[in-house]
Amino acid sequence: MNFLENSGKALTNMGTFGAYLTAGYDGKFNPMTIGWGQIGISQGKSVFAVMVRQSRYTKELLDKNPVFTVSVPFDTSHKTSLAFCGSKSGRDYDKIKECKLETVPSKEIDVPGISGCMVYECRVIYKTEMSKEETFPECNEKWYKNGDYHTVYTGEILNYKEN
Ligand SMILES: Cc1cc2nc3c(=O)[nH]c(=O)nc-3n(C[C@H](O)[C@H](O)[C@H](O)COP(=O)(O)O)c2cc1C
């Protein structure tokens, strides 16, 4: 299925329920809840850009193995798991095990998606470190008072599927 057909629904659901950003390597994977992201076109490719704060374990994982999946639930059934994955760190918990999440192997990358979701398989094509200097004052004030800026990882969408 063409990913664009469902991108509106995916963005709406991500903004409403949250979604799993899964990263990792060597068979160990960590889902983190995200609520912000962009689907679009860049450098002639279909892309999914995710925003990860410097403090996240997920940032360490993405910097080691720059591929990820975004898994967007169809409905509210993932509410409890998304709350856990959005408040606990993979440094302290095996979140897949704790939430009893079922993973689905990806076709194009070595990081799986999450069952019961729209799954985007992505490979990072560039990353952008946000900084105080390049961010508008009102945004610095609202979102980055503690200096924990986002890195934007723009991933080429290599495969899209619904599980
Ligand atoms: C609804 C929701 C949306 C979130 N969106 C983001 C996001 O877009 N980027 C981010 O860095 N953290 C976001 N977070 C916070 C992380 O999910 C949270 O800090 C998580 O525990 C980090 O996990 P990690 O240390 O295993 O990477 C969100 C949390 C919730 C509950």
Side-chain angles (χ1 to χ4, degrees), residues 5-59:
E5 283 175 30
N6 267 9
S7 57
K9 186 172 182 216
L11 291 171
T12 302
N13 286 10
M14 181 173 70
T16 309
F17 314 132
Y20 302 99
L21 164 60
T22 305
Y25 55 92
D26 288 349
K28 275 204 73 189
F29 307 109
N30 180 56
M32 165 184 125
T33 302
I34 57 169
W36 294 2
Q38 301 90 41
I39 295 173
I41 312 291
S42 182
Q43 302 179 358
K45 298 174 193 296
S46 307
V47 294
F48 205 132
V50 292
M51 303 182 67
V52 181
R53 290 190 193 262
Q54 287 159 8
S55 60
R56 310 299 187 223
Y57 179 53
T58 297
K59 179 164 175 21

Side-chain angles (χ1 to χ4, degrees), residues 90 105 133:
E133 296 67 35

Side-chain angles (χ1 to χ4, degrees), residues 23-111:
Y25 55 92
D26 288 349
K28 275 204 73 189
F29 307 109
N30 180 56
M32 165 184 125
T33 302
I34 57 169
W36 294 2
Q38 301 90 41
I39 295 173
I41 312 291
S42 182
Q43 302 179 358
K45 298 174 193 296
S46 307
V47 294
F48 205 132
V50 292
M51 303 182 67
V52 181
R53 290 190 193 262
Q54 287 159 8
S55 60
R56 310 299 187 223
Y57 179 53
T58 297
K59 179 164 175 21
E60 287 178 41
L61 299 176
L62 283 172
D63 289 340
K64 275 199 184 128
N65 186 26
V67 292
F68 62 88
T69 56
V70 179
S71 303
V72 187
F74 294 105
D75 51 37
T76 55
S77 59
H78 285 259
K79 192 176 173 189
T80 311
S81 306
L82 286 167
F84 190 89
C85 294
S87 57
K88 308 290 183 218
S89 178
R91 292 188 186 97
D92 307 316
Y93 294 91
D94 179 341
K95 292 193 253 184
I96 291 176
K97 202 170 143 198
E98 294 287 333
C99 298
K100 298 187 175 59
L101 288 171
E102 195 184 324
T103 57
V104 185
S106 290
K107 193 171 146 227
E108 300 292 342
I109 59 173
D110 62 355
V111 170

